[in-house]
Amino acid sequence: MQHALCIQEILLNIFGHCCPPESHWTIDKCKFTADLATLARTCRTFKEPALDVLWSELVDLTPLPRCVPQCYSVSHGCYSFKIRLDETEWPILRSYTRRIWHIRGHANSKWLNPAALIEICGPPITEPLFPNLRSFYWRSLPDIPPVHVAVPSLTSLDVSLGLVFPRTHPLLELLDTVVNVCLNLKQFRIHVLSPGLDSEAINRFIRSIPNLQILECDGFLFDAPTILHLSKLSSLIYFKYTVIPDADWMLSSCSELVFQTLRQLEMKCPLLEPASLLLSRTRLPAMEHLDVALSRNPQKDVLRTYVETVRHVCSPNTLTKFVINSKNPLGIRYSGALDRSLSNLALDDLSPCMMFTNLRHMKINLQWSVDMTDSDLLALASAWPYIQTLSINDKWGWRTTGGGITLHGFSQLLQQCRQLSTLCIAIRTESRVDIATMHRSEGGIFDRPSMSTTGSLLTINLLDSPIQPVDVPMLVTFFVRLGLQSHVLLAWHGLDMEEREDIAMQYRRDWCRTLDKVRGALVPGHTRYDQAVDLAA
């Protein structure tokens, strides 16, 4: 055997590639765990590192009783013990639990019956069952005694609780233990649906974490001392929470709050007004990513107030991502005709954001129509020279009578945004452009097979752009001249636009025909442009 394979660090690195990403566990876990188990049985050198990787993460606790096969039974997918564990079996069980770093339980995880859980979590010794646990994630907190979860190595705690939340819930006991034991806790996430939550206990727990880096809370109200504590933390970089509509009194006793190190702030709120109010009481000099998710559509003056507030509280050189997303909780179906009751999103609504010269990602999704011209979008592109994602109403569409920007403005926008990877706008397909001269553009994009400097494909979503059958040949030629055959082109894509039955079917059919012809054209560089154009036409 090669001497390098006797080094534990090398083996851990190699065996680590046998473990699939968490998103693929439901598909690949059995295959990969079987591979690791085979490696562990190959030789003594492989045994320990293979077992370390195999047991490093659990999505439920059912593998534990299987470590003592003579003691457990299975009935309807539920594990239980036939006999109590004796003193010879506990060392076997602990030889595996000491390897567990992460417990990530989900609602559909296989589980043990209550008696089996008590048996596993009640060893005849006082030491923790999971002494090296790094993160504990559970979507329905089990009755695991805190002594086994709250260990000094724990750095991440993530729990989600249902509608029943008595004041004696195991979570409260767990938090009291974590405060005194887990001095290295850096991440805390909690999602609660219960109206009976003891918010005071949660707030008190958050204030006790000295080195908190990531905080995600949903379902309860922060008090003023907790917000003040968070603003003084030099370690906090990510904060996600639900804004309560009457949160103005929450900060009424606080002076202006300065979050010196906070880089990412994500807010969920039914209305935009509370988010504006809270931001107006803060300063975010290091903010890079600002995201707000709304349950209701804002009024035009409220949006302008919010954007103007962002301009004042964030540094012009640090903000790189700006997101506003309005959901459709009622499932309302909208017609393709212009609804005069909707607000129009215009350049003036976004102009305060033009001061953020390092902006990379701009995503706006409002139940509004969009009224932007060539000059408006080119002005935004000039203000954001490093823009990578420019997405305006990719869910709702533009819903304008004019249809969007002209083909000439579209080609100028692509030339100007050299780092663009995602573009979601509507275009006016009836507009005309001098296609014959496009390939002679100097310094443009037309002689390059790839427009993305990052090497990734460019995704262009033309949203609800109208199209007429007579314009199909011209549009195919136009996109081929731009060299878009090898990139991702979409139109009338998404559930909300598909529900516009009055016009969606015809437009989608013509766009599919157009884009299929574009994809079938040869890629520039493999043939002459005029040959590709002839093929597309």
Side-chain angles (χ1 to χ4, degrees):
M1 180 182 293
Q2 291 290 333
H3 293 296
L5 295 181
C6 295
I7 302 175
Q8 294 289 302
E9 290 79 2
I10 294 178
L11 291 177
L12 285 171
N13 190 299
I14 295 173
F15 296 162
H17 291 281
C18 295
C19 191
E22 185 181 354
S23 60
H24 297 156
W25 270 41
T26 55
I27 301 175
D28 300 332
K29 184 186 176 185
C30 291
K31 174 184 179 299
F32 282 91
T33 54
D35 291 342
L36 288 168
T38 300
L39 287 169
R41 291 191 292 266
T42 300
C43 62
R44 292 182 180 179
T45 303
F46 286 5
K47 178 181 178 180
E48 288 299 315
L51 287 177
D52 286 343
V53 175
L54 179 62
W55 283 86
S56 62
E57 183 166 346
L58 295 184
V59 294
D60 59 50
L61 299 184
T62 55
L64 297 182
R66 296 204 296 267
C67 296
V68 282
Q70 70 277 12
C71 298
Y72 83 92
S73 62
V74 183
S75 176
H76 303 290
C78 185
Y79 286 73
S80 60
F81 284 100
K82 298 182 294 185
I83 58 175
R84 294 185 60 86
L85 301 180
D86 60 31
E87 59 183 13
T88 63
E89 287 151 350
W90 278 113
I92 298 175
L93 191 64
R94 292 183 61 84
S95 69
Y96 294 103
T97 60
R98 66 177 175 81
R99 306 175 192 271
I100 298 173
W101 284 20
H102 312 285
I103 297 178
R104 306 185 189 278
H106 300 270
N108 60 351
S109 297
K110 293 180 181 178
W111 196 228
L112 310 170
N113 66 16
L117 182 61
I118 293 174
E119 179 71 17
I120 286 180
C121 295
I125 47 179
T126 58
E127 296 180 2
L129 185 61
F130 311 106
N132 297 309
L133 192 65
R134 265 62 167 178
S135 64
F136 181 72
Y137 167 98
W138 210 269
R139 282 293 161 258
S140 180
L141 194 70
D143 293 326
I144 299 179
V147 66
H148 300 306
V149 176
V151 293
S153 59
L154 189 71
T155 60
S156 177
L157 179 61
D158 186 339
V159 292
S160 180
L161 308 177
L163 293 175
V164 179
F165 192 97
R167 299 184 72 86
T168 57
H169 195 279
L171 174 64
L172 301 181
E173 183 183 357
L174 172 62
L175 297 184
D176 288 340
T177 307
V178 168
V179 167
N180 299 316
V181 178
C182 307
L183 303 181
N184 294 318
L185 191 69
K186 293 179 172 58
Q187 302 181 25
F188 179 53
R189 297 178 175 89
I190 179 171
H191 307 271
V192 183
L193 300 177
S194 171
L197 170 68
D198 187 358
S199 296
E200 181 181 351
I202 306 296
N203 278 285
R204 186 168 59 250
F205 172 74
I206 293 174
R207 293 196 299 270
S208 69
I209 308 176
N211 300 309
L212 189 62
Q213 295 180 357
I214 296 175
L215 176 61
E216 185 174 327
C217 301
D218 185 9
F220 72 96
L221 184 65
F222 285 103
D223 57 24
T226 301
I227 292 292
L228 184 61
H229 166 77
L230 293 175
S231 69
K232 294 180 179 180
L233 285 179
S234 60
S235 56
L236 188 65
I237 59 175
Y238 174 83
F239 187 18
K240 179 178 181 179
Y241 72 112
T242 301
V243 180
I244 307 299
D246 58 351
D248 51 345
W249 64 264
M250 181 179 68
L251 296 181
S252 59
S253 61
C254 299
S255 58
E256 184 178 81
L257 303 173
V258 182
F259 293 80
Q260 291 286 357
T261 60
L262 189 63
R263 300 178 189 173
Q264 185 169 342
L265 175 61
E266 297 185 22
M267 298 178 286
K268 292 171 55 181
C269 47
L271 301 171
L272 191 56
E273 290 92 331
S276 296
L277 180 60
L278 289 180
L279 286 182
S280 66
R281 303 294 301 273
T282 64
R283 289 292 179 269
L284 307 168
M287 183 56 56
E288 298 176 0
H289 176 179
L290 185 60
D291 188 331
V292 59
L294 307 174
S295 300
R296 299 180 185 177
N297 217 40
Q299 298 295 323
K300 197 174 185 68
D301 59 334
V302 176
L303 176 66
R304 290 190 176 184
T305 300
Y306 175 77
V307 176
E308 189 66 32
T309 302
V310 172
R311 185 175 72 88
H312 286 290
V313 304
C314 298
S315 171
N317 298 320
T318 58
L319 193 67
T320 61
K321 187 172 185 178
F322 182 80
V323 178
I324 301 178
N325 185 31
S326 176
K327 297 181 179 179
N328 178 15
L330 300 179
I332 302 174
R333 304 180 75 172
Y334 302 95
S335 66
L338 179 63
D339 187 347
R340 297 296 179 183
S341 66
L342 298 178
S343 299
N344 275 336
L345 182 66
L347 177 63
D348 291 343
D349 300 316
L350 301 179
S351 57
C353 290
M354 294 174 67
M355 68 170 289
F356 300 114
T357 55
N358 286 320
L359 199 66
R360 262 71 169 176
H361 307 278
M362 165 62 77
K363 299 182 69 176
I364 303 292
N365 247 320
L366 297 173
Q367 188 188 315
W368 290 9
S369 58
V370 180
D371 184 16
M372 289 192 181
T373 64
D374 294 7
S375 59
D376 295 337
L377 285 174
L378 291 174
L380 293 177
S382 298
W384 306 325
Y386 308 108
I387 193 72
Q388 297 174 13
T389 302
L390 180 57
S391 177
I392 302 176
N393 269 19
D394 71 318
K395 174 188 278 189
W396 306 102
W398 280 33
R399 302 175 185 273
T400 55
T401 54
I405 68 171
T406 65
L407 296 182
H408 181 68
F410 176 76
S411 63
Q412 284 186 302
L413 185 64
L414 293 182
Q415 290 183 78
Q416 192 164 327
C417 302
R418 293 291 179 157
Q419 298 188 26
L420 200 64
S421 61
T422 302
L423 177 64
C424 299
I425 59 173
I427 62 174
R428 292 173 51 189
T429 56
E430 80 282 1
S431 60
R432 291 293 182 266
V433 65
D434 189 359
I435 296 177
T437 61
M438 288 176 60
H439 68 283
R440 292 196 293 269
S441 298
E442 295 182 1
I445 62 173
F446 309 116
D447 295 323
R448 294 165 51 191
S450 175
M451 288 174 288
S452 176
T453 58
T454 62
S456 60
L457 292 179
L458 173 61
T459 298
I460 299 178
N461 190 342
L462 301 174
L463 305 180
D464 54 348
S465 302
I467 185 174
Q468 300 300 326
V470 68
D471 295 324
V472 170
M474 179 272 296
L475 289 171
V476 173
T477 303
F478 174 74
F479 290 128
V480 171
R481 287 287 191 181
L482 288 178
L484 297 177
Q485 304 94 302
S486 59
H487 298 279
V488 180
L489 295 175
L490 303 170
W492 288 87
H493 179 75
L495 180 61
D496 293 285
M497 278 180 274
E498 289 175 359
E499 290 182 344
R500 290 158 60 174
E501 296 173 349
D502 51 346
I503 57 176
M505 188 64 68
Q506 178 63 42
Y507 285 164
R508 190 181 301 110
R509 183 165 53 247
D510 290 334
W511 270 116
C512 286
R513 188 157 57 95
T514 301
L515 300 182
D516 284 344
K517 287 188 176 184
V518 172
R519 297 185 191 100
L522 297 180
V523 178
H526 292 192
T527 186
R528 295 179 56 185
Y529 270 113
D530 52 357
Q531 291 177 339
V533 171
D534 291 340
L535 175 62

